[in-house]
Amino acid sequence: MNVVVYVSDALRTDHLGCYGARYVNTQTIDELAGGGVRFSHAISAAPWTAPSTTSIVTGMYAHHHGYLHWDAQLDPSIETFFRAFSAHGYEVASFVFDTNYLFKDLPEANVLGTSEMLDGAFEWLRANRDTPFFLYVHNWAAHMPYDIVHADRKNWLAAKQEIIEGIQSDSASALESMREGYRKAVERQSEVLVASFLEELDALGLRENTTFAFLSDHGESWGERLASKDEVKGVYHMHGATLFDEIVEVPLILSAPGRLEPAVIDSQVRSVDLMPTLLELAGLPARETDGESLLPLVDGREQGDRTAIVAGTDMGSLTKLAVRKPPWKLILDVDSGEEEAYRLDGDPRELAPRTDAPPELREIVFRELESAERHELTEEEEATVAKRLSDLGYL
């Protein structure tokens, strides 16, 4: 069995037809979901890329692995799915949005190039078609600014600033223009990039023996939670600053022809569940992770929601911790101790905070806080974090 993990950065579930979108053409992803297993409620471990992606590849919550900024060091004892599959004879490679960021200090990921164009990934597939492989692709097509490659730094930063200024203007036309750009970017992700990838697998005769996992690291927002749009200073305020569901609920689709029958799983699951799932599908030994294999939910051995923990960060420090245990969600501000609770079945948009959340949620979130990996940054480290975030448009 071969494995492909395809991460579409900043992809909202409500912009995919298979998740209910009506005015976005995502036929390819919809068909992938129709022939595989779609998880209706998958929760990311963090609201932005560095910690959330590290959770995907390790199966560990962000507040446990501690990779909360781009220059953090991942504890070598924490195993990734790259290492696990490589140890069992798989050829492993990654193609990412920018080789100076994602997995830059993780040699086992074997980053071979960028994913802004998929040619490099296709060449690698052709070269490794006769051996078991594990390929990770992280694409930024749906990450603002839209339809400008990140390598084109001058125009990329200018387009990013134009979007931020559009949000700050609180103009209905500017907001609609931005959302239309996002819709087109999502359609390109589905109908050009994912479509061409699946076509390449078909052309190489690999589709039937390849498990294809499609997901996002986080969602997206456009300042709608902020009373004053002037508060939107960078990408951080679009995804990163809050733990609301438009940011932390992500698409998750598994396609494994001959191994998984088509299904829709309505139970809540977590992005940290992907690593143990792929290991079980491949028949590899389980590792110690926060996540659990999804296969018991798929084959009916398990019922019900899995409690999800989400970590919010700011400048490399843990600032928020949330527990999502349907129908409730509790968000804790780590520094102030302030809490927000929402009853999601009656308030799915999280607009009406409640004060009657079950005590169990508070017990869970404080237990997780006690187990968190904490690291105080020096002034020099804070300056480095700020520069790296600024380079990516987050500040």
Side-chain angles (χ1 to χ4, degrees):
M1 184 189 87
N2 305 308
V3 179
V4 172
V5 176
Y6 191 109
V7 177
S8 175
D9 202 297
L11 180 58
R12 293 173 60 123
T13 57
D14 62 6
H15 277 63
L16 295 176
C18 55
Y19 282 87
R22 298 178 58 191
Y23 303 109
V24 187
N25 175 22
T26 56
Q27 181 179 345
T28 297
I29 294 174
D30 299 342
E31 290 176 351
L32 182 73
V37 180
R38 179 176 68 83
F39 297 88
S40 301
H41 302 287
I43 308 301
S44 176
W48 72 286
T49 301
S52 63
T53 300
T54 306
S55 290
I56 290 171
V57 307
T58 63
M60 302 292 289
Y61 282 130
H63 62 290
H64 288 162
H65 62 60
Y67 194 91
L68 306 184
H69 60 88
W70 288 118
D71 291 288
Q73 295 295 316
L74 185 65
D75 187 331
S77 67
I78 297 177
E79 189 164 21
T80 66
F81 50 34
F82 303 118
R83 190 190 307 172
F85 277 86
S86 179
H88 286 83
Y90 281 69
E91 293 295 326
V92 171
S94 300
F95 292 83
V96 301
F97 62 88
D98 188 323
T99 57
N100 292 316
Y101 287 87
L102 197 57
F103 309 144
K104 66 181 180 64
D105 295 319
L106 194 65
E108 61 204 59
N110 192 26
V111 176
L112 297 180
T114 74
S115 58
E116 294 190 308
M117 302 294 289
L118 296 178
D119 296 356
F122 293 167
E123 290 179 13
W124 188 88
L125 282 173
R126 293 165 194 153
N128 292 277
R129 61 189 295 183
D130 296 325
T131 58
F133 62 77
F134 183 101
L135 176 60
Y136 179 98
V137 176
H138 191 120
N139 184 272
W140 251 25
H143 188 289
M144 68 85 81
Y146 315 117
D147 288 333
I148 295 181
V149 295
H150 188 235
D152 185 359
R153 294 291 294 155
K154 183 178 180 180
N155 289 330
W156 188 91
L157 289 171
K160 186 272 298 185
Q161 188 58 33
E162 182 179 348
I163 289 178
I164 297 299
E165 290 174 356
I167 295 174
Q168 291 173 338
S169 73
D170 204 12
S171 161
S173 61
L175 183 60
E176 179 53 34
S177 175
M178 178 180 56
R179 286 180 166 168
E180 178 61 21
Y182 183 75
R183 285 192 287 268
K184 290 180 178 178
V186 172
E187 289 184 348
R188 177 173 176 266
Q189 181 69 272
S190 175
E191 301 310 296
V192 177
L193 298 170
V194 175
S196 64
F197 202 106
L198 296 177
E199 288 169 2
E200 185 67 24
L201 289 176
D202 279 329
L204 295 173
L206 296 171
R207 184 76 178 274
E208 292 304 308
N209 64 336
T210 298
T211 293
F212 192 97
F214 177 87
L215 71 159
S216 185
D217 53 347
H218 56 76
E220 186 64 291
S221 70
W222 295 287
E224 56 266 45
R225 296 282 181 176
L226 302 174
S228 172
K229 300 302 183 287
D230 287 338
E231 295 180 43
V232 178
K233 304 298 184 184
V235 179
Y236 175 72
H237 295 103
M238 299 174 70
H239 57 257
T242 68
L243 303 183
F244 293 110
D245 276 5
E246 63 265 21
I247 307 297
V248 302
E249 194 163 22
V250 295
L252 175 58
I253 298 165
L254 286 178
S255 171
R259 293 177 176 84
L260 296 177
E261 293 298 319
V264 176
I265 305 300
D266 291 324
S267 300
Q268 176 175 285
V269 300
R270 301 80 55 93
S271 61
V272 293
D273 294 329
L274 180 62
M275 177 183 176
T277 303
L278 296 177
L279 292 177
E280 184 175 355
L281 277 171
L284 302 187
R287 268 59 174 181
E288 185 174 341
T289 61
D290 290 320
E292 303 170 77
S293 173
L294 294 165
L295 297 190
L297 284 169
V298 175
D299 62 25
R301 287 177 285 151
E302 179 186 340
Q303 304 291 330
D305 297 308
R306 294 180 175 179
T307 300
I309 308 298
V310 188
T313 71
D314 189 10
M315 297 294 291
S317 297
L318 180 68
T319 55
K320 294 183 180 182
L321 205 59
V323 55
R324 195 181 193 279
K325 184 177 176 63
W328 287 94
K329 181 176 181 180
L330 178 71
I331 304 172
L332 172 72
D333 186 295
V334 172
D335 293 327
S336 71
E338 294 180 0
E339 300 173 0
E340 293 178 68
Y342 299 93
R343 174 95 188 204
L344 301 173
D345 52 353
D347 180 25
R349 295 181 62 193
E350 300 163 278
L351 299 176
R354 301 275 291 259
T355 58
D356 57 340
E360 177 192 9
L361 272 71
R362 190 171 292 106
E363 293 171 5
I364 294 172
V365 80
F366 277 101
R367 184 169 64 243
E368 292 295 331
L369 184 60
E370 289 178 1
S371 70
E373 178 73 24
R374 308 292 289 274
H375 173 63
E376 293 295 327
L377 300 183
T378 65
E379 289 186 8
E380 183 179 355
E381 287 174 327
E382 286 182 349
T384 300
V385 170
K387 182 181 186 307
R388 299 282 280 175
L389 290 173
S390 180
D391 286 345
L392 282 178
Y394 277 76
L395 302 177

